[in-house]
Each structure stands twice: as structure tokens, then as C-alpha cells.
Amino acid sequence: MNPASDGSRDELDPLERQVVDFFVDGVRVLGLPRSIGEIYGLLFISRSPLALDDLVCRLDISKGSASQGLRMLKSLGAVREANGNGNGERRTYFEPAVELKRLVGGFIREQIRPHLDSGKSRIRHLAETANAVDDPEQRKFLGERVERLEQWMRSSGRVLPILQKLLGQ
Amino acid sequence: MNPASDGSRDELDPLERQVVDFFVDGVRVLGLPRSIGEIYGLLFISRSPLALDDLVCRLDISKGSASQGLRMLKSLGAVREANGNGNGERRTYFEPAVELKRLVGGFIREQIRPHLDSGKSRIRHLAETANAVDDPEQRKFLGERVERLEQWMRSSGRVLPILQKLLGQ
DNA sequence: TTGATTGTTCATTTTGTATTGAACAATCAG
DNA sequence: CTGATTGTTCAATACAAAATGAACAATCAA
């Protein structure tokens, strides 16, 4: 059972701590909040699925953080509900998705694509503004820059699916 | 000349504003500070190189921000000193690097590689800890997870150079 | 229905990081 | 040398984003 008498604050053992810290660092690079790394990390190193309350106790985070963190991880496709334990249990348990392809795919879909798309529309607007400039020299220069941005966008758009494919194995 | 009477607060015109905002948004996705996007954006849309003081006035940011921002952009290979204007000028002017390949290369070198490397060494440490676990079942599970992390690292290491090459054009 | 359990929402608080700005080089002219 | 110009550093501050936690659903049992 839980070694803590009050049921909360069931601390991580050193190995779990290492793994959680590894993921905390990992998600920071991706610009995601620390709690996301903590939650995914603990799920990753746990042999059986965990429920929200487990995360709250083991990681010593609030229910709010755990709830929001799980929601984001679900939207990223990084965790899924475990279907195995249906013996009269009401709460839902989660397990991690461990295929890199899936993780990268979710990140691209949720975090990269939307920005790329909004970027493209901003550039379209920019192109119009640049075209309305009077001075021909200046207009030419701006046209070149806008064209450069469009190049960047095309390259990025081409590269993402390849990235995803390459990370599949 | 400068339309502002006191020499400071030389505001951006609407097109410059659009471009700067575009890059501010862009660098946020990359987890870089806003000022980096502002500085690079203004350089990107300026026909001639700008000095530190120009950035301070036009963007209305502090000298400290401009100095640190330029340093980071230099380390990323995203700006370079303009050599053209050596007519008795003491201050240094900067121009943007506009080749996507170079920008991505710098970002990978400065921001991604270091994390990948530290990640690899963390995993090595993790593997030792996992191997010291008594319970054979548990040790086997941990070994699988560690192996998974090593897979991820290998995939990432393989993909970065390809990414760089593909973005070259 | 009431009470117990599980999970969500969101206004407030906390925390981490970027920005500021004043003090400090460094370099040059006269 | 002094004074002017350009740029850097870093402790203090401001700000944005994350975490909290209490109030609020939602679901089920008895």
C-alpha cells in the first residue's frame, strides 16, 4: 500500500524521478508546460495505467494541472485511455503512446500546422500590402522578401510529412 | 530624417509592423524571446543594414534587449555584420541571413543538439539504474522502455541532417 | 433523494523568464 | 588627458504563462 499515512505525497523513487526529469526537459524544448512532461514521464515508466488521482498523488500536482495536462496529452495523441480494467471501475486510466511517429505526428498536427497555416495567410496579406507601395524600387525589394517567405513556407510544408515518415523507424 | 522631434520612438510603418509581428509569432513557436523576433523581423524588412541604436529607436526596446538579442541572433547565424559601410563609421551594422538552410542549421546546432546530447547521457545513466533493479520482471520492463528511448534518440539523430538538407531548397 | 466519487473549469496566485536601465567597459577624437 | 560615442553586463523589475484550489458538474449507489 501507500507508504504515506495520509494517502497523499506518495513520492517517486529515484528511477522514476530520473525519467520524469528527462521528459520535463524534453517538453521544455518543445515549448510545452512542465506538468505535461511530468505526467507523460510517469505514465511512460509505469507498468500499469494510472488514473488522474494517481498522478496527483505521485507527482504532487493539483487536480487542475493533472486534468488539463491529460487533456492536452490526449489531444496530442500522446496518451490514451486504457480499456483493460473494466471490472466495475468508474475512473479512467491512462497509458502512454510510445511510438515516436505518433508523438511527432500529434505535435505537428496540434502545434506546428496551425502556426504554418496562420503564417501563410499573414503572408498573403503582406503580399497585398507590399504591392500597394508606390516607390517601384521599394516595391521590388518587398516583393523579393515576400517571395522569400513564401519559399520558406513551401519548404516547411514539404518537409513535415517527410519528417513524420522518417521518424516512423 | 527622423519624424520624431526627440530622436527616439521612431515608430514602425504598418508593413514593418506586419512583418515584425510575423516573426514575433514565429520565434515564439521556437521558444525564443519576443525581442529576437522583433529584431530579426525589422532587419529582414529593411533595405539597408541597421545598427543597435536603430533597433532601439524603431522597436522601442532597451539597449540591453537589443544587445543581447543581437548576440543570440549572431550565435544562431541569423544575422551578420554588414561590411559594406566602412567610411569612418565606428558602429557596426547588421543584416539578416535569409537562407532557410542557414537559419535552421543554426537553430539545430545551438538549440537542438545540446539537448539531444544531454538527453543521450541521461539515458545512459538511466540504463545503469534500470539494470541494478532486483525484480527480473520489472528489470525487463524498464529495459524495454530504455531501449525505446534509445530508439527515439537514434531516429532524431538520423533525421536532423536530412532535415537540414531538405530545407536547403 | 442524499452522499460519495471522479473529473472539469476558471479566477487567483505563483513562478520563471524576458526586459529594463543604470553602471560599467572600450574605443576614438581632439 | 577629457569628453563623446558605442556597446555590454547584470541586478532589479515587469510580465506572461503555468499551477493552484475551490466551486462546480456528472455519474453512480444506496
PDB file of all heavy atoms in Angstrom, chain C residues 1-12:
ATOM      1  P    DT C   1     -33.548  15.063  -6.156  1.00  0.00           P
ATOM      2  OP1  DT C   1     -34.508  15.620  -7.098  1.00  0.00           O
ATOM      3  OP2  DT C   1     -32.127  14.985  -6.320  1.00  0.00           O
ATOM      4  O5'  DT C   1     -33.914  15.434  -4.667  1.00  0.00           O
ATOM      5  C5'  DT C   1     -35.042  14.743  -4.041  1.00  0.00           C
ATOM      6  C4'  DT C   1     -34.531  13.844  -2.940  1.00  0.00           C
ATOM      7  O4'  DT C   1     -34.453  12.477  -3.438  1.00  0.00           O
ATOM      8  C3'  DT C   1     -33.103  14.168  -2.495  1.00  0.00           C
ATOM      9  O3'  DT C   1     -33.182  15.128  -1.450  1.00  0.00           O
ATOM     10  C2'  DT C   1     -32.566  12.836  -2.023  1.00  0.00           C
ATOM     11  C1'  DT C   1     -33.396  11.797  -2.766  1.00  0.00           C
ATOM     12  N1   DT C   1     -32.673  11.007  -3.814  1.00  0.00           N
ATOM     13  C2   DT C   1     -31.872   9.986  -3.417  1.00  0.00           C
ATOM     14  O2   DT C   1     -31.671   9.679  -2.249  1.00  0.00           O
ATOM     15  N3   DT C   1     -31.276   9.309  -4.445  1.00  0.00           N
ATOM     16  C4   DT C   1     -31.418   9.551  -5.811  1.00  0.00           C
ATOM     17  O4   DT C   1     -30.838   8.880  -6.637  1.00  0.00           O
ATOM     18  C5   DT C   1     -32.272  10.644  -6.154  1.00  0.00           C
ATOM     19  C7   DT C   1     -32.469  10.991  -7.556  1.00  0.00           C
ATOM     20  C6   DT C   1     -32.863  11.320  -5.153  1.00  0.00           C
ATOM     21  P    DT C   2     -31.922  15.885  -0.882  1.00  0.00           P
ATOM     22  OP1  DT C   2     -32.401  16.748   0.218  1.00  0.00           O
ATOM     23  OP2  DT C   2     -31.298  16.486  -2.073  1.00  0.00           O
ATOM     24  O5'  DT C   2     -30.905  14.813  -0.290  1.00  0.00           O
ATOM     25  C5'  DT C   2     -31.245  14.052   0.868  1.00  0.00           C
ATOM     26  C4'  DT C   2     -30.105  13.086   1.166  1.00  0.00           C
ATOM     27  O4'  DT C   2     -29.968  12.140   0.070  1.00  0.00           O
ATOM     28  C3'  DT C   2     -28.747  13.781   1.307  1.00  0.00           C
ATOM     29  O3'  DT C   2     -28.090  13.279   2.456  1.00  0.00           O
ATOM     30  C2'  DT C   2     -28.003  13.437   0.031  1.00  0.00           C
ATOM     31  C1'  DT C   2     -28.614  12.085  -0.353  1.00  0.00           C
ATOM     32  N1   DT C   2     -28.603  11.832  -1.830  1.00  0.00           N
ATOM     33  C2   DT C   2     -28.139  10.626  -2.303  1.00  0.00           C
ATOM     34  O2   DT C   2     -27.713   9.752  -1.591  1.00  0.00           O
ATOM     35  N3   DT C   2     -28.177  10.490  -3.666  1.00  0.00           N
ATOM     36  C4   DT C   2     -28.648  11.431  -4.588  1.00  0.00           C
ATOM     37  O4   DT C   2     -28.642  11.189  -5.790  1.00  0.00           O
ATOM     38  C5   DT C   2     -29.122  12.659  -4.027  1.00  0.00           C
ATOM     39  C7   DT C   2     -29.641  13.732  -4.921  1.00  0.00           C
ATOM     40  C6   DT C   2     -29.083  12.815  -2.688  1.00  0.00           C
ATOM     41  P    DG C   3     -26.756  13.979   2.960  1.00  0.00           P
ATOM     42  OP1  DG C   3     -26.793  13.926   4.443  1.00  0.00           O
ATOM     43  OP2  DG C   3     -26.604  15.271   2.258  1.00  0.00           O
ATOM     44  O5'  DG C   3     -25.619  12.984   2.459  1.00  0.00           O
ATOM     45  C5'  DG C   3     -25.777  11.576   2.679  1.00  0.00           C
ATOM     46  C4'  DG C   3     -24.668  10.838   1.967  1.00  0.00           C
ATOM     47  O4'  DG C   3     -24.987  10.715   0.553  1.00  0.00           O
ATOM     48  C3'  DG C   3     -23.308  11.520   2.032  1.00  0.00           C
ATOM     49  O3'  DG C   3     -22.322  10.515   2.186  1.00  0.00           O
ATOM     50  C2'  DG C   3     -23.200  12.208   0.681  1.00  0.00           C
ATOM     51  C1'  DG C   3     -23.896  11.194  -0.218  1.00  0.00           C
ATOM     52  N9   DG C   3     -24.441  11.727  -1.458  1.00  0.00           N
ATOM     53  C8   DG C   3     -25.077  12.936  -1.657  1.00  0.00           C
ATOM     54  N7   DG C   3     -25.462  13.122  -2.887  1.00  0.00           N
ATOM     55  C5   DG C   3     -25.052  11.963  -3.553  1.00  0.00           C
ATOM     56  C6   DG C   3     -25.186  11.578  -4.908  1.00  0.00           C
ATOM     57  O6   DG C   3     -25.723  12.206  -5.823  1.00  0.00           O
ATOM     58  N1   DG C   3     -24.636  10.326  -5.146  1.00  0.00           N
ATOM     59  C2   DG C   3     -24.023   9.545  -4.200  1.00  0.00           C
ATOM     60  N2   DG C   3     -23.551   8.374  -4.612  1.00  0.00           N
ATOM     61  N3   DG C   3     -23.887   9.882  -2.926  1.00  0.00           N
ATOM     62  C4   DG C   3     -24.423  11.105  -2.678  1.00  0.00           C
ATOM     63  P    DA C   4     -20.855  10.843   2.500  1.00  0.00           P
ATOM     64  OP1  DA C   4     -20.525  10.220   3.807  1.00  0.00           O
ATOM     65  OP2  DA C   4     -20.637  12.285   2.293  1.00  0.00           O
ATOM     66  O5'  DA C   4     -20.095  10.028   1.366  1.00  0.00           O
ATOM     67  C5'  DA C   4     -20.610   8.755   0.949  1.00  0.00           C
ATOM     68  C4'  DA C   4     -19.890   8.314  -0.321  1.00  0.00           C
ATOM     69  O4'  DA C   4     -20.584   8.846  -1.471  1.00  0.00           O
ATOM     70  C3'  DA C   4     -18.441   8.809  -0.425  1.00  0.00           C
ATOM     71  O3'  DA C   4     -17.647   7.744  -0.911  1.00  0.00           O
ATOM     72  C2'  DA C   4     -18.515   9.961  -1.401  1.00  0.00           C
ATOM     73  C1'  DA C   4     -19.671   9.523  -2.307  1.00  0.00           C
ATOM     74  N9   DA C   4     -20.385  10.634  -2.921  1.00  0.00           N
ATOM     75  C8   DA C   4     -20.795  11.790  -2.315  1.00  0.00           C
ATOM     76  N7   DA C   4     -21.435  12.609  -3.125  1.00  0.00           N
ATOM     77  C5   DA C   4     -21.440  11.939  -4.338  1.00  0.00           C
ATOM     78  C6   DA C   4     -21.963  12.263  -5.600  1.00  0.00           C
ATOM     79  N6   DA C   4     -22.612  13.404  -5.847  1.00  0.00           N
ATOM     80  N1   DA C   4     -21.788  11.368  -6.603  1.00  0.00           N
ATOM     81  C2   DA C   4     -21.147  10.231  -6.338  1.00  0.00           C
ATOM     82  N3   DA C   4     -20.617   9.809  -5.201  1.00  0.00           N
ATOM     83  C4   DA C   4     -20.800  10.726  -4.229  1.00  0.00           C
ATOM     84  P    DT C   5     -16.079   7.913  -1.084  1.00  0.00           P
ATOM     85  OP1  DT C   5     -15.447   6.653  -0.665  1.00  0.00           O
ATOM     86  OP2  DT C   5     -15.711   9.199  -0.456  1.00  0.00           O
ATOM     87  O5'  DT C   5     -15.906   8.051  -2.662  1.00  0.00           O
ATOM     88  C5'  DT C   5     -16.540   7.119  -3.515  1.00  0.00           C
ATOM     89  C4'  DT C   5     -16.369   7.535  -4.953  1.00  0.00           C
ATOM     90  O4'  DT C   5     -17.256   8.632  -5.264  1.00  0.00           O
ATOM     91  C3'  DT C   5     -14.962   8.008  -5.333  1.00  0.00           C
ATOM     92  O3'  DT C   5     -14.542   7.268  -6.456  1.00  0.00           O
ATOM     93  C2'  DT C   5     -15.139   9.486  -5.651  1.00  0.00           C
ATOM     94  C1'  DT C   5     -16.584   9.520  -6.107  1.00  0.00           C
ATOM     95  N1   DT C   5     -17.267  10.831  -5.970  1.00  0.00           N
ATOM     96  C2   DT C   5     -17.931  11.350  -7.057  1.00  0.00           C
ATOM     97  O2   DT C   5     -17.978  10.782  -8.130  1.00  0.00           O
ATOM     98  N3   DT C   5     -18.533  12.554  -6.829  1.00  0.00           N
ATOM     99  C4   DT C   5     -18.547  13.281  -5.650  1.00  0.00           C
ATOM    100  O4   DT C   5     -19.129  14.351  -5.576  1.00  0.00           O
ATOM    101  C5   DT C   5     -17.838  12.690  -4.559  1.00  0.00           C
ATOM    102  C7   DT C   5     -17.773  13.390  -3.237  1.00  0.00           C
ATOM    103  C6   DT C   5     -17.231  11.503  -4.764  1.00  0.00           C
ATOM    104  P    DT C   6     -13.050   7.316  -6.992  1.00  0.00           P
ATOM    105  OP1  DT C   6     -12.682   5.984  -7.503  1.00  0.00           O
ATOM    106  OP2  DT C   6     -12.231   7.987  -5.969  1.00  0.00           O
ATOM    107  O5'  DT C   6     -13.192   8.290  -8.240  1.00  0.00           O
ATOM    108  C5'  DT C   6     -14.029   7.910  -9.320  1.00  0.00           C
ATOM    109  C4'  DT C   6     -14.131   9.030 -10.307  1.00  0.00           C
ATOM    110  O4'  DT C   6     -14.916  10.100  -9.749  1.00  0.00           O
ATOM    111  C3'  DT C   6     -12.787   9.661 -10.704  1.00  0.00           C
ATOM    112  O3'  DT C   6     -12.597   9.478 -12.090  1.00  0.00           O
ATOM    113  C2'  DT C   6     -12.926  11.135 -10.335  1.00  0.00           C
ATOM    114  C1'  DT C   6     -14.432  11.315 -10.240  1.00  0.00           C
ATOM    115  N1   DT C   6     -14.884  12.382  -9.310  1.00  0.00           N
ATOM    116  C2   DT C   6     -15.778  13.319  -9.750  1.00  0.00           C
ATOM    117  O2   DT C   6     -16.228  13.330 -10.872  1.00  0.00           O
ATOM    118  N3   DT C   6     -16.134  14.253  -8.816  1.00  0.00           N
ATOM    119  C4   DT C   6     -15.689  14.342  -7.516  1.00  0.00           C
ATOM    120  O4   DT C   6     -16.092  15.227  -6.766  1.00  0.00           O
ATOM    121  C5   DT C   6     -14.752  13.332  -7.112  1.00  0.00           C
ATOM    122  C7   DT C   6     -14.207  13.342  -5.715  1.00  0.00           C
ATOM    123  C6   DT C   6     -14.397  12.403  -8.014  1.00  0.00           C
ATOM    124  P    DG C   7     -11.252   9.973 -12.837  1.00  0.00           P
ATOM    125  OP1  DG C   7     -11.008   9.157 -14.042  1.00  0.00           O
ATOM    126  OP2  DG C   7     -10.215  10.123 -11.796  1.00  0.00           O
ATOM    127  O5'  DG C   7     -11.696  11.416 -13.343  1.00  0.00           O
ATOM    128  C5'  DG C   7     -12.768  11.521 -14.274  1.00  0.00           C
ATOM    129  C4'  DG C   7     -13.176  12.964 -14.403  1.00  0.00           C
ATOM    130  O4'  DG C   7     -13.599  13.457 -13.116  1.00  0.00           O
ATOM    131  C3'  DG C   7     -12.091  13.930 -14.884  1.00  0.00           C
ATOM    132  O3'  DG C   7     -12.468  14.439 -16.144  1.00  0.00           O
ATOM    133  C2'  DG C   7     -12.030  14.994 -13.809  1.00  0.00           C
ATOM    134  C1'  DG C   7     -13.364  14.847 -13.114  1.00  0.00           C
ATOM    135  N9   DG C   7     -13.378  15.335 -11.731  1.00  0.00           N
ATOM    136  C8   DG C   7     -12.717  14.832 -10.641  1.00  0.00           C
ATOM    137  N7   DG C   7     -12.952  15.498  -9.537  1.00  0.00           N
ATOM    138  C5   DG C   7     -13.813  16.508  -9.937  1.00  0.00           C
ATOM    139  C6   DG C   7     -14.421  17.553  -9.193  1.00  0.00           C
ATOM    140  O6   DG C   7     -14.309  17.794  -7.989  1.00  0.00           O
ATOM    141  N1   DG C   7     -15.232  18.347  -9.992  1.00  0.00           N
ATOM    142  C2   DG C   7     -15.435  18.155 -11.344  1.00  0.00           C
ATOM    143  N2   DG C   7     -16.245  19.015 -11.951  1.00  0.00           N
ATOM    144  N3   DG C   7     -14.890  17.193 -12.045  1.00  0.00           N
ATOM    145  C4   DG C   7     -14.092  16.413 -11.288  1.00  0.00           C
ATOM    146  P    DT C   8     -11.596  15.492 -16.928  1.00  0.00           P
ATOM    147  OP1  DT C   8     -11.734  15.211 -18.361  1.00  0.00           O
ATOM    148  OP2  DT C   8     -10.264  15.558 -16.289  1.00  0.00           O
ATOM    149  O5'  DT C   8     -12.357  16.862 -16.628  1.00  0.00           O
ATOM    150  C5'  DT C   8     -13.728  16.965 -16.991  1.00  0.00           C
ATOM    151  C4'  DT C   8     -14.225  18.378 -16.764  1.00  0.00           C
ATOM    152  O4'  DT C   8     -14.239  18.660 -15.344  1.00  0.00           O
ATOM    153  C3'  DT C   8     -13.363  19.466 -17.407  1.00  0.00           C
ATOM    154  O3'  DT C   8     -14.253  20.367 -18.048  1.00  0.00           O
ATOM    155  C2'  DT C   8     -12.634  20.106 -16.229  1.00  0.00           C
ATOM    156  C1'  DT C   8     -13.640  19.911 -15.100  1.00  0.00           C
ATOM    157  N1   DT C   8     -13.081  19.833 -13.731  1.00  0.00           N
ATOM    158  C2   DT C   8     -13.487  20.744 -12.793  1.00  0.00           C
ATOM    159  O2   DT C   8     -14.280  21.623 -13.015  1.00  0.00           O
ATOM    160  N3   DT C   8     -12.920  20.561 -11.554  1.00  0.00           N
ATOM    161  C4   DT C   8     -12.017  19.588 -11.176  1.00  0.00           C
ATOM    162  O4   DT C   8     -11.587  19.529 -10.037  1.00  0.00           O
ATOM    163  C5   DT C   8     -11.632  18.679 -12.206  1.00  0.00           C
ATOM    164  C7   DT C   8     -10.653  17.588 -11.905  1.00  0.00           C
ATOM    165  C6   DT C   8     -12.172  18.836 -13.414  1.00  0.00           C
ATOM    166  P    DT C   9     -13.663  21.470 -19.097  1.00  0.00           P
ATOM    167  OP1  DT C   9     -14.503  21.422 -20.288  1.00  0.00           O
ATOM    168  OP2  DT C   9     -12.212  21.304 -19.183  1.00  0.00           O
ATOM    169  O5'  DT C   9     -13.963  22.838 -18.326  1.00  0.00           O
ATOM    170  C5'  DT C   9     -14.998  22.850 -17.380  1.00  0.00           C
ATOM    171  C4'  DT C   9     -15.054  24.173 -16.633  1.00  0.00           C
ATOM    172  O4'  DT C   9     -14.502  23.990 -15.303  1.00  0.00           O
ATOM    173  C3'  DT C   9     -14.272  25.336 -17.243  1.00  0.00           C
ATOM    174  O3'  DT C   9     -15.029  26.518 -17.019  1.00  0.00           O
ATOM    175  C2'  DT C   9     -12.969  25.338 -16.459  1.00  0.00           C
ATOM    176  C1'  DT C   9     -13.474  24.927 -15.074  1.00  0.00           C
ATOM    177  N1   DT C   9     -12.490  24.231 -14.206  1.00  0.00           N
ATOM    178  C2   DT C   9     -12.468  24.536 -12.862  1.00  0.00           C
ATOM    179  O2   DT C   9     -13.211  25.352 -12.351  1.00  0.00           O
ATOM    180  N3   DT C   9     -11.541  23.835 -12.139  1.00  0.00           N
ATOM    181  C4   DT C   9     -10.648  22.877 -12.614  1.00  0.00           C
ATOM    182  O4   DT C   9      -9.861  22.315 -11.853  1.00  0.00           O
ATOM    183  C5   DT C   9     -10.727  22.615 -14.025  1.00  0.00           C
ATOM    184  C7   DT C   9      -9.826  21.606 -14.650  1.00  0.00           C
ATOM    185  C6   DT C   9     -11.634  23.297 -14.740  1.00  0.00           C
ATOM    186  P    DC C  10     -14.845  27.793 -17.985  1.00  0.00           P
ATOM    187  OP1  DC C  10     -16.185  28.263 -18.390  1.00  0.00           O
ATOM    188  OP2  DC C  10     -13.796  27.529 -18.993  1.00  0.00           O
ATOM    189  O5'  DC C  10     -14.256  28.845 -16.934  1.00  0.00           O
ATOM    190  C5'  DC C  10     -14.812  28.918 -15.623  1.00  0.00           C
ATOM    191  C4'  DC C  10     -13.863  29.652 -14.702  1.00  0.00           C
ATOM    192  O4'  DC C  10     -12.956  28.709 -14.081  1.00  0.00           O
ATOM    193  C3'  DC C  10     -12.960  30.676 -15.404  1.00  0.00           C
ATOM    194  O3'  DC C  10     -12.773  31.763 -14.508  1.00  0.00           O
ATOM    195  C2'  DC C  10     -11.657  29.920 -15.579  1.00  0.00           C
ATOM    196  C1'  DC C  10     -11.631  29.167 -14.246  1.00  0.00           C
ATOM    197  N1   DC C  10     -10.720  28.005 -14.201  1.00  0.00           N
ATOM    198  C2   DC C  10     -10.284  27.539 -12.965  1.00  0.00           C
ATOM    199  O2   DC C  10     -10.682  28.101 -11.948  1.00  0.00           O
ATOM    200  N3   DC C  10      -9.448  26.483 -12.927  1.00  0.00           N
ATOM    201  C4   DC C  10      -9.050  25.906 -14.064  1.00  0.00           C
ATOM    202  N4   DC C  10      -8.226  24.850 -13.985  1.00  0.00           N
ATOM    203  C5   DC C  10      -9.480  26.366 -15.344  1.00  0.00           C
ATOM    204  C6   DC C  10     -10.306  27.413 -15.364  1.00  0.00           C
ATOM    205  P    DA C  11     -12.979  33.277 -15.066  1.00  0.00           P
ATOM    206  OP1  DA C  11     -14.385  33.411 -15.441  1.00  0.00           O
ATOM    207  OP2  DA C  11     -11.910  33.562 -16.048  1.00  0.00           O
ATOM    208  O5'  DA C  11     -12.727  34.143 -13.756  1.00  0.00           O
ATOM    209  C5'  DA C  11     -13.502  33.882 -12.588  1.00  0.00           C
ATOM    210  C4'  DA C  11     -12.631  33.972 -11.351  1.00  0.00           C
ATOM    211  O4'  DA C  11     -11.732  32.847 -11.287  1.00  0.00           O
ATOM    212  C3'  DA C  11     -11.762  35.221 -11.292  1.00  0.00           C
ATOM    213  O3'  DA C  11     -11.795  35.688  -9.954  1.00  0.00           O
ATOM    214  C2'  DA C  11     -10.383  34.728 -11.731  1.00  0.00           C
ATOM    215  C1'  DA C  11     -10.392  33.288 -11.227  1.00  0.00           C
ATOM    216  N9   DA C  11      -9.623  32.345 -12.057  1.00  0.00           N
ATOM    217  C8   DA C  11      -9.597  32.263 -13.416  1.00  0.00           C
ATOM    218  N7   DA C  11      -8.834  31.300 -13.874  1.00  0.00           N
ATOM    219  C5   DA C  11      -8.334  30.709 -12.730  1.00  0.00           C
ATOM    220  C6   DA C  11      -7.466  29.616 -12.526  1.00  0.00           C
ATOM    221  N6   DA C  11      -6.929  28.904 -13.514  1.00  0.00           N
ATOM    222  N1   DA C  11      -7.168  29.281 -11.243  1.00  0.00           N
ATOM    223  C2   DA C  11      -7.717  29.991 -10.247  1.00  0.00           C
ATOM    224  N3   DA C  11      -8.539  31.024 -10.311  1.00  0.00           N
ATOM    225  C4   DA C  11      -8.809  31.336 -11.601  1.00  0.00           C
ATOM    226  P    DT C  12     -10.822  36.768  -9.356  1.00  0.00           P
ATOM    227  OP1  DT C  12     -11.458  37.409  -8.199  1.00  0.00           O
ATOM    228  OP2  DT C  12     -10.304  37.564 -10.488  1.00  0.00           O
ATOM    229  O5'  DT C  12      -9.651  35.840  -8.839  1.00  0.00           O
ATOM    230  C5'  DT C  12      -9.388  35.733  -7.458  1.00  0.00           C
ATOM    231  C4'  DT C  12      -8.128  34.925  -7.250  1.00  0.00           C
ATOM    232  O4'  DT C  12      -7.849  34.131  -8.405  1.00  0.00           O
ATOM    233  C3'  DT C  12      -6.874  35.784  -7.016  1.00  0.00           C
ATOM    234  O3'  DT C  12      -6.462  35.568  -5.676  1.00  0.00           O
ATOM    235  C2'  DT C  12      -5.874  35.289  -8.050  1.00  0.00           C
ATOM    236  C1'  DT C  12      -6.448  33.928  -8.449  1.00  0.00           C
ATOM    237  N1   DT C  12      -6.073  33.476  -9.818  1.00  0.00           N
ATOM    238  C2   DT C  12      -5.190  32.420  -9.945  1.00  0.00           C
ATOM    239  O2   DT C  12      -4.692  31.855  -8.996  1.00  0.00           O
ATOM    240  N3   DT C  12      -4.913  32.065 -11.233  1.00  0.00           N
ATOM    241  C4   DT C  12      -5.427  32.632 -12.384  1.00  0.00           C
ATOM    242  O4   DT C  12      -5.110  32.224 -13.490  1.00  0.00           O
ATOM    243  C5   DT C  12      -6.342  33.723 -12.181  1.00  0.00           C
ATOM    244  C7   DT C  12      -6.953  34.419 -13.347  1.00  0.00           C
ATOM    245  C6   DT C  12      -6.617  34.095 -10.922  1.00  0.00           C
TER     246       DT C  12
END
